[in-house]
Amino acid sequence: MRIGCRLSYRLTQPTPLIAMLNVHYSRFGDLERADYLVTQPSVPLESYRDGFGNWCTRMVAPAGDFVLSTDGIFRDTGLPDPKAPYARQQAVQDLPSETLVYLLGSRYCDTDLLSEEAWRLFENTAPGWARVQAICDFVHAAVSFDYMQASATRTASETLAERQGVCRDFAHLAIAFCRCMNIPARYCTGYLSEFGQPEPHAPDDFAAWMEVYLDGQWWVFDPRNNKRRTGRILVARGRDAADVPLTQIFGPGTLSDFEVWTRDVHKEKGGPASGSTI
């Protein structure tokens, strides 16, 4: 898979910026060509790992037009997300300590407001994989995807009330329901190809999904698409979207252009500009 992005900004003053755009270290073994972060104009870069293990790059962008881009090649099995229908839900007292943070409420996953509704909806479902799938089924059916209704402040409870949103809202609501049911769940963002999907394909974009902890390991669930997909490559994970912004700008600025591409290198004829532009 050839994957990458190009984000263009218009800045009115020199602006500190943190980018989280490189593929997660868990996929380094699949690397064919590194997705190095490149800036135009070139500026000094300093990289570090955050508290969740995500790779972050900090810089000071100059005033004017500024571009961040990556372009890498990663091997992928071409197989759909793994599935384990008999994976068990573990009792809270048996969970590893490092998973407990993913049972707690967070900025966008307001479990305190959703706990009663979660138990009303899912108390009678079978614990484990079946319960998580029931949550995904509910969220997928209850929420309408509408890119024009994206909101940077919408919480899980607001998504349930408004019944609309984008992929991050689907993920936040499903994560909050899982946590209410004592299932550790964390937010993921990254690339999701359209390989194997009916045409016409939606424009390429970054995607959001979740991972839940069942039977001693983390498993991918995607309440937005509600199916096992191929060509999913993780960039970052955290408690919710507040932990994994693709870019964090510390000052005024405007996103003037945005491209994402996920392509099969064996079929690719053009360059990365064949991705989406919005």
Side-chain angles (χ1 to χ4, degrees), residues 212-259:
V212 302
Y213 194 81
L214 297 172
D215 230 352
Q217 68 182 87
W218 292 96
W219 300 91
V220 166
F221 283 84
D222 184 348
R224 156 71 177 98
N225 296 292
N226 204 27
K227 61 175 68 172
R228 318 314 287 177
R229 292 282 294 267
T230 61
R232 189 188 302 273
I233 296 186
L234 179 70
V235 168
R237 57 166 70 104
R239 293 168 298 181
D240 59 30
D243 290 331
V244 292
L246 297 173
T247 57
Q248 179 72 55
I249 297 176
F250 298 89
T254 303
L255 180 65
S256 57
D257 195 26
F258 178 79
E259 298 178 69

Side-chain angles (χ1 to χ4, degrees), residues 16 27 118 127 260:
R27 295 300 300 259
V260 178

Side-chain angles (χ1 to χ4, degrees), residues 149-169:
Q149 298 301 321
S151 169
T153 61
R154 183 182 290 120
T155 64
S157 64
E158 290 170 339
T159 298
L160 181 62
E162 298 170 14
R163 301 295 176 116
Q164 62 184 8
V166 293
C167 56
R168 63 180 259 160
D169 302 307

